[in-house]
Amino acid sequence: MEDTTGRTVQAGATAVLGFDPGDPAFRADPYAHYRTLGAGGRSLHRTDVGLRVTASYELCERVLRDPRFGHRPSGGGVWREVQARHRSFLTMDPPDHTRLRRLVSKAFTPRLVERLRPRVEEVVDALLEPVSGEVDLIATLAYPLPVIVISEMLGVPAEDRDLFKGWSDSLARGLDPDFLLPEAEIAQRDAAREEFGEYFRELAAERRAEPREDLLSALVGVSDGGDALSEQELLATCILLLVAGHETTVNLIGNGALALLRDPAQSRLFRERPENAQAAVEELLRFDPPVQLTLRSALEDVDLDGTLIERGKLVLLLTGAANRDPAVFDEPDRLDLLRYAEGRDTPRHLAFGHGVHFCLGAPLARLEGRVALGKLFERDVALAADDVVYRDNLVLRGLRGLPVVIRA
């Protein structure tokens, strides 16, 4: 029965997406599969159920900045509508998106992120200092760093951080379409939302009574012309900050470390050129991004590359594939840490999206990635095994574990 069910899910996924995300070969290297979508010069594909899919950088970038595309105006279809009370501004269109992002931006500024640099460096040093021998880099560094940082930013007590692990795993898996999720995982995701919401409801009440110097207090007190976040908006924003501010950074560090460890010449270059760390992280984001795809709905009838996308119809944007589009990037499948060095080129990857939904937490993810990878490769580190296992997620690409040997 289990095998039959698995085959049914795989067949359904292939019919919807045009590829099987559960195929071990796809998980190991989705980019080889993405390339087949661009064969024959076709840039917009129609799957068996009518979903339009593109691996083209030009089309992904165009849709992401086109105001005629947004998020599905009504429920139904292959992606289930998120309940209104759970929706963050990530899945909203203007003007709601504009209002909420503006309010959150007031509390989540680049200045605040830059002030975090000494603390991020301190956390990375504390995580790596006692490490020697064979360890799981995800559990040792990639996971705890961003969860500590986002917890401290929000004002979560240190003793409660472990609660985030289960919630974050369930909520991240819940970013995938429901047709890929067993009912048990859907129930687990929904339960995580409720538990997370209840936790932050109580914590927010404490901050209203006694504000502190943390992000949650700022979100509770933020206002703009008398406007403010409602309780539902506040809770949905906290969930977004946890998943987007934590999960993507885990995968940036894990995927980036693996790419470097598999390429001795590039890892040596990374060590020898610390001044190039910022450009190197941009290349790692392009090469194997934490977020692989996103979805947009036509808010009106749109002609896209000669194809009519009717109002309400969905377009699946394979941004991970777009980051390796040979029409845009020279030798796209080659990791080149000097690709953006010394102004040679401007980073144009779509790892953080584009347009009005460009990732608000991008400065923090970049900072954590630079510091974590920079300090890691100051040490003698090597892969303990090249056979790695990826998590089941479709939207997010990340490792279950990364066995490495770190020598003192």
Side-chain angles (χ1 to χ4, degrees):
M1 177 66 71
E2 183 177 349
D3 182 58
T4 301
T5 302
R7 289 198 304 269
T8 300
V9 171
Q10 290 172 357
T14 302
V16 173
L17 301 171
F19 56 88
D20 176 14
D23 181 353
F26 176 85
R27 291 203 189 284
D29 182 11
Y31 308 104
H33 292 251
Y34 292 152
R35 281 193 291 274
T36 64
L37 294 177
R42 294 175 298 147
S43 55
L44 192 62
H45 303 255
R46 185 183 187 278
T47 68
D48 292 347
V49 300
L51 180 68
R52 300 292 181 175
V53 181
T54 183
S56 159
Y57 179 97
E58 191 274 332
L59 284 187
C60 286
E61 193 266 351
R62 189 195 308 178
V63 170
L64 288 172
R65 63 178 166 80
D66 191 333
R68 296 175 298 172
F69 286 95
H71 292 275
R72 195 171 180 83
S74 59
V78 296
W79 259 261
R80 184 181 299 175
E81 179 78 355
V82 177
Q83 294 182 33
R85 66 195 180 97
H86 292 309
R87 294 185 69 199
S88 71
F89 61 85
L90 181 67
T91 57
M92 292 181 180
D93 299 319
D96 291 335
H97 169 269
T98 307
R99 167 186 162 265
L100 290 175
R101 184 178 174 111
R102 183 178 66 243
L103 290 175
V104 175
S105 295
K106 285 181 173 291
F108 204 88
T109 64
R111 183 169 60 90
L112 175 63
V113 170
E114 187 55 36
R115 280 169 42 196
L116 287 171
R117 181 184 296 273
R119 178 55 181 155
V120 172
E121 293 175 343
E122 181 182 21
V123 172
V124 173
D125 285 338
L127 292 171
L128 289 177
E129 181 62 32
V131 174
S132 181
E134 184 171 336
V135 297
D136 175 6
L137 192 66
I138 303 301
T140 300
L141 176 65
Y143 172 76
L145 170 62
V147 81
I148 290 171
V149 171
I150 197 65
S151 296
E152 290 183 351
M153 287 181 69
L154 287 168
V156 174
E159 61 269 22
D160 290 345
R161 286 177 196 152
D162 287 345
L163 292 172
F164 274 24
K165 175 60 175 172
W167 288 337
S168 185
D169 288 348
S170 297
L171 292 169
R173 181 69 170 125
L175 292 175
D176 289 348
D178 284 2
F179 69 83
L180 287 180
L181 303 178
E183 287 298 324
E185 290 195 20
I186 294 175
Q188 191 174 16
R189 173 201 63 193
D190 293 344
R193 282 177 177 156
E194 295 299 332
E195 292 170 9
F196 185 96
E198 185 58 34
Y199 176 86
F200 271 96
R201 188 175 290 110
E202 294 179 5
L203 200 61
E206 294 178 11
R207 294 299 185 269
R208 287 190 183 93
E210 297 182 18
R212 300 182 185 178
E213 293 295 321
D214 57 43
L215 181 55
L216 182 58
S217 296
L219 291 172
V220 167
V222 74
S223 64
D224 184 8
D227 202 357
L229 291 168
S230 70
E231 182 176 76
Q232 289 181 3
E233 292 167 345
L234 174 65
L235 297 178
T237 298
C238 288
I239 290 176
L240 173 63
L241 292 176
L242 169 64
V243 177
H246 165 242
E247 288 288 340
T248 54
T249 307
V250 173
N251 297 340
L252 163 58
I253 296 170
N255 296 357
L258 179 61
L260 290 171
L261 290 169
R262 282 177 166 172
D263 192 328
Q266 293 299 305
S267 61
R268 184 168 57 252
L269 180 64
F270 188 70
R271 288 186 173 97
E272 294 173 351
R273 296 280 297 271
E275 74 280 2
N276 188 52
Q278 181 173 341
V281 167
E282 296 302 320
E283 171 66 351
L284 292 168
L285 283 164
R286 182 201 69 81
F287 185 75
D288 196 10
V291 179
Q292 289 285 300
L293 57 88
T294 189
L295 197 71
R296 290 294 186 271
S297 172
L299 303 179
E300 59 185 74
D301 290 353
V302 181
D303 182 289
L304 182 63
D305 200 34
T307 298
L308 175 64
I309 309 297
E310 297 177 337
R311 181 184 183 276
K313 296 297 184 181
L314 301 172
V315 179
L316 184 63
L317 308 176
L318 299 176
T319 52
N323 283 348
R324 295 200 185 191
D325 187 341
V328 177
F329 302 100
D330 293 333
E331 297 184 87
D333 293 323
R334 184 172 73 89
L335 180 65
D336 177 8
L337 298 189
L338 297 180
R339 189 181 297 269
Y340 303 122
E342 300 172 351
R344 285 173 52 185
D345 197 0
T346 300
R348 290 176 290 168
H349 61 74
L350 301 176
F352 292 121
H354 194 69
V356 298
H357 284 284
F358 184 82
C359 178
L360 189 67
L364 178 58
R366 284 172 162 135
L367 171 63
E368 291 176 327
R370 288 197 302 271
V371 173
L373 292 172
K375 288 183 174 292
L376 172 66
F377 281 87
E378 289 175 357
R379 291 161 167 78
D380 183 357
V381 56
L383 279 176
D386 196 56
D387 185 18
V388 296
V389 178
Y390 286 86
R391 297 166 67 181
D392 293 336
N393 304 60
L394 171 65
V395 174
L396 298 176
R397 174 169 167 79
L399 297 157
R400 289 187 184 275
L402 181 55
V404 300
V405 175
I406 298 179
R407 298 179 179 86

